[in-house]
Amino acid sequence: MINLKRCALILALCLPCLAQAAFPEKPFRIIVSNPPGGPVDVMLRVLANKLGEAWQQPIVVENRPGASGIISTGVLVKSPADGYTLGMVVASALTIVPFAVDKLPYDPQKDLQPVSLVARTPFLFIVRSDSPFKTWDDFVRASHQSELAIGSFPRGTAFHLIWEQTARRAGVKALYVPSASSGKTQNDLIGGQLDIALDAPSSSQALIQAGRLRPLVITSPTRFAGLPDTPTLQESGMADYAPQPWIGLMAPAGVPADRIAFIQQSVAKILQDPAMKAQMATLGMIPIGSTPAVLGATIEHDRAEMAPLIKELGIRLE
């Protein structure tokens, strides 16, 4: 005679295992605030292709640019918490924007769930090829003797805030000249309107290779594979200081922990591949592949650093 109670118990115990085994069973989408063609978009599409192969499921990359990441993040938090919708989020969307706008249509701390720290993006201080500054110390000393100008992206961006942070730590003074594009800043630097610039390796590498620009120092903690001869800020006397914005994979709050773990482990494995590391170096990125806990702690650390600086500078984003 069949023991119905025992069968029901066995079925109840097996159902979670069956549900876990079924994931993934349908297409994914990954939302990103960056427009098509840029370094973050290119990196994401390479990663998405490799994840699709590993999971045997198609992955659609959905570009939702605009409003400093508010649009794309808003779409992400309203998506089903089933693990099939993810977001590739740049640091500023969670560590700068929340403190520089009057109101967000979501709570970045409650409505999002960390999955993995995907990459770090070091910045470069660059000068024109004939600049008298041969080292970071040359620039620091000159800034105390005459009025210098540094160019980079608009106020309120990660570039601007990293400059302000670095200037305070190094005791540097220079007029910050914002520009809407890296190309405009580079042209002004080559033309002599600027003394130095803060840029991304992916944007300036071609002009560096052409001999028109020269990297002075990079913000990564160790030398960057794409520019191995460029010293770091730490090597240049700024101990324990290596500001690097990050790119992270996030999910809507409430995705089951086993699905988050499955996604994170897949991402970390792909990022460890030497070919993927080499490709990301050409995009100016350092692959990471952290646990959700590490990404969560990184977000909180950066929020604590950026909030008072944004308040001090009076930065408001439209």
Side-chain angles (χ1 to χ4, degrees):
M1 185 175 180
I2 298 174
N3 188 324
L4 295 180
K5 288 185 177 180
R6 185 175 181 182
C7 289
L9 178 60
I10 292 172
L11 181 60
L13 291 172
C14 288
L15 281 176
C17 299
L18 292 172
Q20 181 177 358
F23 183 82
E25 61 179 357
K26 64 179 184 180
F28 289 76
R29 68 169 177 159
I30 304 180
I31 302 165
V32 62
S33 64
N34 302 74
V40 175
D41 176 73
V42 172
M43 178 274 291
L44 172 55
R45 290 178 187 275
V46 174
L47 178 61
N49 285 339
K50 292 181 180 294
L51 287 172
E53 292 173 1
W55 295 341
Q56 297 186 332
Q57 294 292 342
I59 299 178
V60 176
V61 173
E62 188 174 315
N63 300 91
R64 291 293 190 100
S68 300
I70 295 175
I71 294 173
S72 61
T73 307
V75 173
L76 177 62
V77 301
K78 293 177 182 177
S79 302
D82 57 7
Y84 288 99
T85 300
L86 304 167
M88 190 65 78
V89 179
V90 297
S92 59
L94 301 183
T95 62
I96 295 175
V97 172
F99 304 109
V101 298
D102 293 330
K103 189 177 181 181
L104 288 172
Y106 50 81
D107 186 328
Q109 292 179 288
K110 295 180 179 179
D111 296 338
L112 291 168
Q113 187 171 358
V115 178
S116 177
L117 188 63
V118 174
R120 290 280 191 176
T121 55
F123 289 165
L124 273 177
F125 284 92
I126 52 175
V127 294
R128 60 185 175 273
S129 56
D130 63 349
S131 170
F133 307 146
K134 306 302 180 185
T135 66
W136 174 252
D137 282 343
D138 290 343
F139 166 62
V140 173
R141 284 194 298 267
S143 75
H144 297 154
Q145 298 166 359
S146 59
E147 185 174 334
L148 303 179
I150 179 169
S152 197
F153 287 87
R155 283 174 53 84
T157 60
F159 289 88
H160 173 224
L161 290 173
I162 282 181
W163 158 248
E164 295 288 351
Q165 192 179 62
T166 304
R168 282 158 174 73
R169 286 176 176 257
V172 178
K173 294 182 179 180
L175 174 66
Y176 189 82
V177 182
S179 175
S181 73
S182 179
K184 174 68 166 58
T185 296
Q186 292 166 357
N187 287 336
D188 288 346
L189 181 60
I190 292 170
Q193 288 80 38
L194 299 171
D195 299 289
I196 193 170
L198 183 60
D199 203 1
S202 58
S203 301
S204 55
Q205 200 152 8
L207 287 172
I208 290 172
Q209 292 172 345
R212 303 189 69 190
L213 294 175
R214 178 162 47 82
L216 202 63
V217 72
I218 195 163
T219 65
S220 52
T222 58
R223 295 205 177 195
F224 179 56
L227 294 163
D229 296 329
T230 303
T232 67
L233 279 174
Q234 290 189 3
E235 288 179 283
S236 304
M238 298 188 68
D240 301 322
Y241 181 62
Q244 296 182 103
W246 48 263
I247 304 164
L249 195 64
M250 306 288 290
V255 176
D258 58 335
R259 296 191 175 189
I260 293 292
F262 175 85
I263 295 167
Q264 184 275 325
Q265 289 164 12
S266 297
V267 169
K269 184 177 181 180
I270 290 170
L271 293 177
Q272 290 169 4
D273 180 67
M276 187 68 182
K277 289 182 177 181
Q279 190 158 16
M280 290 180 72
T282 67
L283 298 170
M285 300 179 190
I286 301 170
I288 307 294
S290 78
T291 64
V294 168
L295 175 53
T298 299
I299 293 170
E300 292 309 307
H301 173 272
D302 289 0
R303 283 171 60 88
E305 278 202 339
M306 287 296 147
L309 184 57
I310 291 166
K311 183 177 181 180
E312 177 191 338
L313 295 170
I315 293 171
R316 306 306 299 165
L317 298 175
E318 297 298 330

